[in-house]
Amino acid sequence: MKKVAVIMGSDSDWPVVKAACTQLKELGIPCEAHILSAHRTPAAAANFARSARQEGFGVLICAAGMAAHLAGAFAANSTLPVIGIPMKGGAMDGLDALLATVQMPSGIPVATVALGGAKNAAVLAAQILAVDDEALAAKLDAMRADMAARIAEKEAALQAELQ
């Protein structure tokens, strides 16, 4: 199975980003987490992105706040799918990060999840990998069925309370 790289621009992103690693592990997907910066370690970030396919990665998840160029820098240096997690904070409380992550030039796409959407980034990475992996697709189907069952239980409890 291909690995997923979870890259953050700063260690301050880890409290949010660890949810992606937790979700990937729950799905049985190997992952690595690293701190690399598009601005402070541009050569190391570019080298990681350029070698990611050869290192066995299938998807790259990049979390960054404020200027949030990390996902774009990775997408510019790799043809692997890149998922951006814009982080809250800074003067615009994450709006700047969201716009920097989602507004990529033609030909250099970055899939973008919600502000701090680490779990959804992991699920999207799993869905990408599941295109070629029936066992992983079955895990995702089971996860969806479990979510639906939990909602049905909550609905039944609500209706019982209303009677």
Side-chain angles (χ1 to χ4, degrees):
M1 177 183 287
K2 297 280 186 183
K3 301 182 288 186
V4 174
V6 180
I7 310 298
M8 64 204 95
S10 169
D11 64 338
S12 64
D13 299 329
W14 179 242
V16 171
V17 172
K18 68 181 172 184
C21 294
T22 299
Q23 182 65 63
L24 291 164
K25 289 177 184 176
E26 286 176 6
L27 290 166
I29 299 170
C31 70
E32 293 182 12
H34 298 278
I35 301 168
L36 294 166
S37 171
H39 303 110
R40 288 169 284 210
T41 61
N47 287 338
F48 189 101
R50 287 184 190 125
S51 65
R53 185 181 304 275
Q54 293 80 11
E55 295 296 324
F57 293 99
V59 180
L60 307 171
I61 297 174
C62 297
M66 296 187 285
H69 294 130
L70 188 61
F74 269 70
N77 285 290
S78 179
T79 56
L80 289 174
V82 175
I83 302 168
I85 305 171
M87 301 297 290
K88 289 188 114 197
M92 299 179 78
D93 200 31
L95 179 60
D96 48 352
L98 175 63
L99 294 175
T101 306
V102 77
Q103 293 290 0
M104 293 299 299
S106 181
I108 310 294
V110 170
T112 307
V113 296
L115 290 171
K119 184 173 180 178
N120 266 356
V123 172
L124 181 55
Q127 290 174 329
I128 291 167
L129 295 176
V131 168
D132 289 347
D133 187 329
E134 290 299 320
L136 181 54
K139 287 180 183 179
L140 289 166
D141 288 340
M143 188 174 81
R144 290 275 179 103
D146 184 53
M147 284 190 285
R150 286 197 312 264
I151 294 298
E153 289 172 5
K154 291 177 182 185
E155 169 64 8
L158 173 64
Q159 294 309 314
E161 183 179 325
L162 292 173
Q163 292 187 11

